Amino acid sequence: MPDNKAMTEPQKALLKLGLARDIDLALHIPLRYEDETRIVMLRDAREGDTVQIEATVTDTQVQYRPRRQLVVTVDDGSDSCVLRFFSFYPSQQKALSEGARLRIRGELKGGFLGWSMVHPTYRVAGGELPQALTPVYSTVAGLPQPYLRKAVAGGLERADLAETIPADAPPAPGQAGAWSLRQALQFLHHPTPEASIAALEDRSHPAWQRLKAEELLAQQLSQQQTRRAHDALSAPTLVGRPGGLHEQLLAALPFQLTKAQRRVSEEIAVGLARARPMHRLLQGDVGSGKTIVAALAAAIAIDCGWQCALMAPTEILAEQHFRKLIGWLEPLLAPRGLRVAWLTGSQKKKERAEMLELVASGEAALVIGTHAVIQEQVQFRNLALAIIDEQHRFGVEQRLALRGKVHGDGEPHLLMMSATPIPRTLAMSYYADLDVSTIDELPPGRTPVVTKLISESRRDEVVERIRSQVGEGRQVYWVCPLIEESETLDLTNATETHMALSEALPGVMVGLLHSRMPVPEKKAVMTLFTAGQMAVLVSTTVIEVGVDVPNASLMVIEHAERFGLSQLHQLRGRVGRGAAASACVLLYSAGDNGRLSETARSRLKAMAETSDGFEIARRDLEIRGPGEFLGARQSGAPLLRFADLVTDTALLEWAREVAPLMLDKHPGLAERHVGRWLGGRSEYLKV
Ligand code: ADP
Ligand code: MG
């Protein structure tokens, strides 16, 4: 690669686009195409068509009304057309003077006065017509299309496009198998004019199918390779003894596990009993009871004489886990001389030192906390199981750090929990390196939450409703949106709502909770609310995760149109935890133009129509696409550029089947394939 200073402007721009290798250029597929292969007669054209005509200028003049413009009339023998240029140079005026014969390309507008085009491109008429459609590539400043076209054509020529899919692999579904990679790419860059532009643009064309099959295969290979690498590592074998800690915990619970909880607990137990590290995602809707499942897994590890760590993304959530697990486990641990330790950023120095000591000595069998758990000073004596709650809120590095908390060459088992169920296709592609356990059932006795969409203009009615709920001894959450651009604005909003509600509800304790509050103050507010003394809690999204107050039966979400679908669902999961009928009010306000955006509308609609977390996740994926859906896990990792997990499931199934065959029988081809598609990036996918 030339050094940076010697590079020309377009060369730098190419790098900026990530087009470093020949193969990268070859895989830079056009955004769209222009058909310059044909000259159209105006007589045959339709309104809105982008056409190429050859015509003679019959009149040129500068007009000043309604604004200065160059108006050129041309005639192609079948009809005439007016070309308008709002900015122009004298040289253009000259090229467009009467009698000039031109090849003109632009979008045709019809109208009372006949055909017109605004700022068409043009050149002197005549010359050969191209044989293929002209590709238009996505580009950046300083990289003109003609330069980019040349660079891509060169890359395509030079790139190693030898087949990597072995002959003994099952054929790719549909027409995908009929094309070689080289044919497919050549076609996608320079399609013949007969090709359906629609099929090219909606990516249903067989050449596209072929490309997507390749891409999905690379992703599967990379993920399955990672999984095999995990499987080659060793981890402590953890088997719960009959009558051991986990059985004692089960016996002490005030409820029976649901069938789903029993099943996933069994799946986890099987994973822990193996001598290689478990990497498991435990997914279950909000309120499905993941915490006890995690506690049972912890009990097995502790019973075998090892330590377990539980990490949660926020202090409030971590503390709630801490209380719950202490309640469950401490009576059972104390007789064994074991304790539960608590680690968080806001801790006093002295307390922290004590806790670190407990962790290092192994006296703390269970360590619960926030990110503080993975800090450098934290030394475990023998960590065997790491549990991460709300795993999507942590980055890859943080999860790696937790895994690294082990001495010697063993690895801890890893249990990640998520309340955002991952749609099947996503799990199959981005989480192919994980085992997935799913709790698909809520504990009995929950009443479904009724969801209502109410316009901001009817806010008063909502306040009335709060009054009556509180009158019945119930509690209410009022959530204000996080305004990303302005934390201050966000605060003002919550503070104002807090004041307005306090005023409207005399004699009712209304609390305020927001992310900028000092931790002790946050805790004090949460304690009052959890204890039932505070009836209404106004908050920013800090309550988003995990808070569990069964007496809360109404949730109001202000500016619901600003929240993401999964987030709304998570929030709604805070109510309906007890036996009382619960409701969620989505207060929305239309923007300045008086209308909700299309996506906001479909989100709110989905919320009103279903409370099934999997259905919500599926719709969320449709609305947002996988990139945003996956969030932190994929930061830096290659997302699919070509395949679409909503529509390309058949190709994904195929790739899943072919990948192990390649890894087993054709490791050389597998390596070439992954290298071609992911370059150095596949490293990021690990964990
Ligand atoms: P989440 O999956 O959202 O983390 P939690 O673990 O916080 O859910 O559980 C929600 C509530 O349900 C808690 O109060 C928990 O004690 C309770 N719970 C869990 N499992 C059961 C069960 N099988 N029967 C009754 N209540 C349960
Ligand atoms: Mg939870």
Side-chain angles (χ1 to χ4, degrees):
M1 195 174 296
D3 79 66
N4 223 0
K5 281 200 206 93
M7 282 199 295
T8 63
E9 202 56 35
Q11 278 172 333
K12 283 186 205 156
L14 278 180
L15 281 191
K16 204 157 139 200
L17 277 175
L19 305 180
R21 308 172 300 164
D22 287 334
I23 186 69
D24 300 327
L25 287 162
L27 293 174
H28 193 59
I29 305 298
L31 273 182
R32 57 187 177 82
Y33 304 91
E34 284 176 354
D35 187 352
E36 294 176 344
T37 63
R38 288 179 301 152
I39 304 290
V40 169
M41 299 304 285
L42 283 168
R43 167 194 340 117
D44 304 327
R46 281 172 316 178
E47 157 107 56
D49 281 355
T50 297
V51 295
Q52 179 168 257
I53 57 173
E54 284 198 349
T56 308
V57 177
T58 56
D59 183 56
T60 294
Q61 50 179 289
V62 179
Q63 289 180 0
Y64 292 91
R65 248 172 250 149
R67 55 190 264 220
R68 185 168 177 269
Q69 53 184 289
L70 179 65
V71 179
V72 179
T73 310
V74 298
D75 195 303
D76 75 345
S78 76
D79 206 345
S80 67
C81 179
V82 171
L83 318 179
R84 290 180 196 282
F85 299 87
F86 294 104
S87 59
F88 51 93
Y89 302 105
S91 62
Q92 280 177 302
Q93 235 168 313
K94 200 163 152 235
L96 292 164
S97 60
E98 222 175 293
R101 183 140 177 89
L102 302 170
R103 184 176 292 173
I104 303 156
R105 201 189 142 72
E107 189 184 327
L108 266 185
K109 294 211 177 78
F112 183 62
L113 298 169
W115 295 120
S116 67
M117 290 183 190
V118 175
H119 282 223
T121 58
Y122 60 89
R123 59 187 183 88
V124 178
E128 246 180 80
L129 289 168
Q131 299 291 304
L133 299 182
T134 309
V136 180
Y137 296 102
S138 71
T139 187
V140 290
L143 186 59
Q145 283 293 331
Y147 186 97
L148 184 53
R149 280 185 192 134
K150 248 205 195 124
V152 169
L156 183 60
E157 188 86 2
R158 291 184 303 266
D160 167 20
L161 297 176
E163 289 298 304
T164 43
I165 300 173
D168 56 347
Q175 294 295 304
W179 294 63
S180 72
L181 178 61
R182 179 169 288 281
Q183 283 171 331
L185 285 175
Q186 231 137 28
F187 185 85
L188 290 175
H189 286 288
H190 304 287
T192 50
E194 301 80 59
S196 146
I197 288 200
L200 284 171
E201 286 179 354
D202 76 7
R203 304 184 169 187
S204 62
H205 192 279
W208 263 111
Q209 298 289 316
R210 174 58 215 257
L211 194 64
K212 295 198 256 193
E214 289 259 331
E215 179 181 42
L216 287 165
L217 181 58
Q219 190 206 36
Q220 286 301 308
L221 284 169
S222 152
Q223 295 260 313
Q224 296 189 19
Q225 246 166 0
T226 307
R227 172 185 279 260
R228 287 178 181 209
H230 286 166
D231 285 352
L233 299 169
S234 67
T237 314
L238 308 175
V239 183
R241 291 166 307 150
L245 192 60
H246 72 292
E247 288 193 4
Q248 293 169 12
L249 172 56
L250 263 182
L253 285 180
F255 51 76
Q256 296 269 314
L257 292 190
T258 61
K259 222 170 113 210
Q261 283 172 317
R262 280 205 301 274
R263 175 174 42 76
V264 298
S265 292
E266 186 52 36
E267 286 165 9
I268 292 167
V270 169
L272 294 177
R274 295 209 179 102
R276 43 174 200 264
M278 172 178 81
H279 279 190
R280 185 172 295 271
L281 179 68
L282 171 60
Q283 53 174 355
D285 214 341
V286 275
S288 61
K290 294 182 291 294
T291 317
I292 183 60
V293 173
L296 286 165
I300 293 179
I302 296 168
D303 199 40
C304 297
W306 294 82
Q307 285 175 300
C308 173
L310 172 68
M311 183 162 79
T314 66
E315 182 135 1
I316 287 184
L317 186 57
E319 176 156 348
Q320 205 168 60
H321 282 320
F322 182 64
R323 286 226 199 89
K324 203 147 219 168
L325 292 175
I326 281 226
W328 283 334
L329 281 170
E330 205 154 61
L332 305 173
L333 291 178
R336 302 168 187 232
L338 295 175
R339 294 183 54 185
V340 182
W342 165 244
L343 281 174
T344 148
S346 70
Q347 219 156 17
K348 295 239 162 55
K349 258 211 174 110
K350 183 156 161 281
E351 189 192 351
R352 185 175 173 77
E354 275 171 28
M355 291 295 168
L356 288 177
E357 179 59 40
L358 287 179
V359 180
S361 71
E363 191 180 337
L366 178 59
V367 182
I368 300 177
T370 56
H371 297 77
V373 170
I374 49 174
Q375 267 152 16
E376 225 172 284
Q377 315 91 301
V378 187
Q379 298 287 336
F380 288 86
R381 192 173 78 87
N382 61 352
L383 180 66
L385 171 63
I387 303 173
I388 304 181
D389 196 15
E390 308 292 341
Q391 59 93 22
H392 58 282
R393 305 261 305 240
F394 290 99
V396 171
E397 302 75 25
Q398 290 162 328
R399 274 174 282 172
L400 276 175
L402 194 46
R403 272 172 65 194
K405 284 283 170 200
V406 202
H407 311 289
D409 45 22
E411 283 256 322
H413 298 281
L414 194 58
L415 179 64
M416 302 187 257
M417 305 201 278
S418 169
T420 307
I422 293 146
R424 187 166 159 275
T425 47
L426 267 194
M428 272 165 53
S429 58
Y430 293 105
Y431 292 83
D433 57 335
L434 293 181
D435 293 314
V436 180
S437 287
T438 304
I439 307 184
D440 52 6
E441 172 187 16
L442 293 180
R446 303 271 168 85
T447 41
V449 179
V450 177
T451 301
K452 291 220 166 86
L453 305 184
I454 296 183
S455 155
E456 172 68 34
S457 59
R458 291 166 56 201
R459 200 180 172 102
D460 290 350
E461 292 169 40
V462 177
V463 175
E464 262 329 293
R465 178 128 180 204
I466 294 179
R467 197 193 312 278
S468 81
Q469 284 288 305
V470 171
E472 287 171 31
R474 301 265 157 230
Q475 287 169 277
V476 178
Y477 292 105
W478 183 297
V479 183
C480 302
L482 188 87
I483 300 164
E484 304 241 336
E485 316 85 75
S486 158
E487 228 181 305
T488 334
L489 208 59
D490 164 23
L491 250 163
T492 322
N493 189 355
T495 319
E496 273 170 12
T497 303
H498 174 242
M499 266 166 30
L501 284 177
S502 305
E503 227 162 82
L505 301 165
V508 174
M509 196 197 283
V510 181
L512 175 63
L513 192 66
H514 61 74
S515 44
R516 288 254 200 99
M517 264 157 71
V519 172
E521 222 172 289
K522 274 190 206 168
K523 280 189 190 160
V525 171
M526 269 325 284
T527 309
L528 283 172
F529 192 69
T530 313
Q533 283 161 279
M534 182 181 285
V536 180
L537 178 61
V538 176
S539 83
T540 53
T541 43
V542 284
I543 60 150
E544 178 187 344
V545 285
V547 179
D548 188 29
V549 179
N551 189 46
S553 61
L554 174 61
M555 165 158 298
V556 181
I557 304 178
E558 189 172 338
H559 281 300
E561 76 281 356
R562 293 189 193 159
F563 288 89
L565 186 48
S566 294
Q567 210 181 5
L568 287 173
H569 179 66
Q570 296 261 312
L571 286 168
R572 178 170 61 180
R574 304 298 122 220
V575 291
R577 304 199 141 214
S582 298
C584 175
V585 170
L586 303 177
L587 265 184
Y588 65 89
S589 61
D592 297 337
N593 59 1
R595 295 184 52 191
L596 279 175
S597 77
E598 196 59 44
T599 49
R601 190 191 309 274
S602 47
R603 284 196 300 253
L604 295 179
K605 191 159 160 276
M607 283 294 291
E609 282 172 2
T610 177
S611 56
D612 174 352
F614 281 89
E615 176 61 17
I616 295 267
R618 198 186 58 73
R619 295 206 197 180
D620 201 19
L621 174 62
E622 262 174 32
I623 296 171
R624 289 197 289 169
E628 276 187 69
F629 188 93
L630 291 166
R633 180 171 213 256
Q634 291 302 315
S635 56
L639 278 168
L640 294 170
R641 291 153 66 191
F642 304 129
D644 173 349
L645 293 174
V646 179
T647 55
D648 296 324
T649 47
L651 292 170
L652 176 59
E653 299 273 4
W654 169 83
R656 246 161 63 101
E657 197 184 326
V658 175
L661 180 129
M662 279 177 76
L663 290 174
D664 288 337
K665 299 208 332 214
H666 310 281
L669 289 177
E671 198 180 327
R672 267 174 75 184
H673 191 91
V674 172
R676 172 183 290 167
W677 277 88
L678 304 178
R681 292 175 300 169
S682 61
E683 284 301 305
Y684 287 104
L685 276 174
K686 301 204 165 129
V687 166

